[in-house]
Amino acid sequence: MLENKEHFHGSDLEKIEAAYGIKKEDIISFSANVNPLGIPGKLREELSSHIDVITTYPDREYTSLRKCIAEYAHTDYRNILAGNGSTELISLVIQILKPSKALIASPAYSEYEHEISLYNGTSQYFHLQEHNDFNLDIDALDKALDSGIGLFILCNPNNPTSSQTGRDTMRKILDICRERGIFVMVDETYVEFSKDYEDITSIPLAEYYGNIIILRGISKFFAAPGLRLGYAVCGNRQLLKEMDSRKNPWTINSLAAIAGEIMFSDTEYIKKTRELVSSERKRICQVLEKVPEVKFYPPEANFILLRILKDGITSADLFDAAIKKGLMIRDCSDFQFLNNKFIRFCFMNPEENNALLKVLIETLQK
């Protein structure tokens, strides 16, 4: 095992290649949480026929793309702002709101805190409790949402816990926050993988609440992180207008805009993705139920969080054992409120999942 090993993320394949001497193309990343089907077949077939769009500037309003997203997400296209990945949109929201204090449901994605700090804000954490399978406790949250907080951030389903918050609970959160002048940012990067997708997404709530913005992207579900396309859904059109005014023009290139339209209309790919993830999620849980050396938390997204129960084995040990087989998992010891007994991995194709399970179980049961 490497000494003083840094924490590798799903996009760190070059670093893995250098550290372990494994070619990056030979690594199967269970850390990136990307759809194992790869890019949609419809996109692969059709995108090249649109190559001539690069000869002109994109529509500054991205109207055709926004209408396609609206049909896919079941909302009004005027409630949509497209951006250069959800990361750009997160930055814009925080840049405009400039919360002096934000509350983040944690453990969570570190970029939220980073963006808040760039605008001189401070972050506090609402601890999602392990004994509650990392599900959000609305009564505890009510107490934590004090008047000094300007922004509450929730990833739903949450990364890395794969827990989720239902729409009824979200309504309660929005009511509490509206009364106290708190804005809510919901990151729905993984919601499309949820078996309860239609009942979990907060997009319908944007029609009734002016204090919520929902962010999504194509990196994970549509397996296209390199296209850098994301979108925000918000019924507060004044906020969207201000975000749009601060964006650099044409941050989405013409091909990415066309690609988005193609992907969002690929119903066969969407159906196959949900069937594969649902099947593997159920099967993997059934396997792990028979492994006494670990505890898993009921997964709602396309990945699962495990706690190592066996003494003498850490998350670094499992990472090391897996990567030597060309399988990259996520060592979660650097997440807020987690430690070196937690790992996360996403659901890939059945044969790849079997290979990973074999390595993990063999290492745990030595």
Side-chain angles (χ1 to χ4, degrees), residues 289-307:
E289 282 173 351
K290 300 173 184 176
V291 182
E293 293 83 5
V294 295
K295 174 183 178 180
F296 69 88
Y297 306 90
E300 303 293 346
N302 64 322
F303 54 86
I304 189 167
L305 180 70
L306 272 63
R307 183 185 182 109

Side-chain angles (χ1 to χ4, degrees), residues 155-167:
C155 184
N156 192 35
N158 188 47
N159 175 27
T161 63
S162 206
S163 54
Q164 67 186 17
T165 301
R167 196 178 300 145

Side-chain angles (χ1 to χ4, degrees), residues 74-330:
H74 308 299
T75 191
D76 190 323
Y77 83 96
R78 292 170 296 181
N79 292 341
I80 293 172
L81 178 68
N84 187 252
S86 58
T87 304
E88 180 191 30
L89 299 168
I90 290 170
S91 181
L92 284 168
V93 172
I94 293 169
Q95 180 186 140
I96 291 166
L97 297 179
K98 289 187 175 65
S100 59
K101 187 164 65 173
L103 184 67
I104 304 171
S106 297
Y109 179 46
S110 61
E111 189 63 25
Y112 309 136
E113 179 184 2
H114 173 68
E115 289 292 335
I116 290 162
S117 69
L118 291 178
Y119 297 96
N120 301 313
T122 58
S123 298
Q124 295 183 349
Y125 302 96
F126 176 72
H127 189 177
L128 300 172
Q129 299 289 336
E130 182 186 354
H131 67 78
N132 194 32
D133 289 337
F134 297 102
N135 290 304
L136 190 147
D137 182 331
I138 187 66
D139 294 327
L141 179 63
D142 188 2
K143 295 174 183 176
L145 287 166
D146 63 59
S147 57
I149 291 168
L151 177 66
F152 174 57
I153 301 175
L154 175 68
C155 184
N156 192 35
N158 188 47
N159 175 27
T161 63
S162 206
S163 54
Q164 67 186 17
T165 301
R167 196 178 300 145
D168 288 344
T169 300
M170 280 303 308
R171 283 194 187 93
K172 293 176 184 177
I173 293 170
L174 289 167
D175 286 335
I176 292 167
C177 289
R178 184 163 57 182
E179 289 174 7
R180 299 173 192 176
I182 300 169
F183 200 85
V184 179
M185 184 167 72
V186 181
D187 182 346
E188 287 195 348
T189 295
Y190 300 102
V191 76
E192 292 136 299
F193 291 109
S194 172
K195 62 180 179 295
D196 303 316
Y197 163 64
E198 297 291 350
D199 297 321
I200 296 301
T201 177
S202 292
I203 285 178
L205 300 178
E207 293 289 336
Y208 307 100
Y209 292 90
N211 64 327
I212 183 174
I213 188 164
I214 301 103
L215 306 178
R216 291 189 187 172
I218 62 167
S219 296
K220 308 302 184 181
F221 190 82
F222 290 99
L227 279 175
R228 308 309 308 139
L229 174 61
Y231 59 99
V233 180
C234 183
N236 185 335
R237 292 185 188 164
Q238 184 56 41
L239 174 62
L240 286 187
K241 184 178 179 181
E242 190 167 356
M243 289 172 65
D244 194 31
S245 71
R246 296 196 183 207
K247 279 174 79 255
N248 291 323
W250 307 301
T251 57
I252 307 165
N253 68 65
S254 300
L255 277 178
I258 289 290
E261 294 184 39
I262 295 169
M263 287 188 287
F264 291 122
S265 64
D266 194 338
T267 55
E268 182 180 356
Y269 173 88
I270 293 166
K271 182 173 180 287
K272 284 183 177 179
T273 296
R274 291 190 175 136
E275 287 174 348
L276 173 62
V277 170
S278 179
S279 173
E280 286 303 283
R281 180 168 49 214
K282 180 179 179 181
R283 185 179 72 87
I284 288 170
C285 286
Q286 289 172 342
V287 171
L288 292 173
E289 282 173 351
K290 300 173 184 176
V291 182
E293 293 83 5
V294 295
K295 174 183 178 180
F296 69 88
Y297 306 90
E300 303 293 346
N302 64 322
F303 54 86
I304 189 167
L305 180 70
L306 272 63
R307 183 185 182 109
I308 303 163
L309 300 180
K310 186 172 181 178
D311 292 338
I313 294 183
T314 68
S315 52
D317 295 322
L318 291 186
F319 178 94
D320 203 60
I323 198 61
K324 287 176 179 176
K325 299 289 186 181
L327 311 172
M328 181 181 175
I329 62 172
R330 181 68 159 90

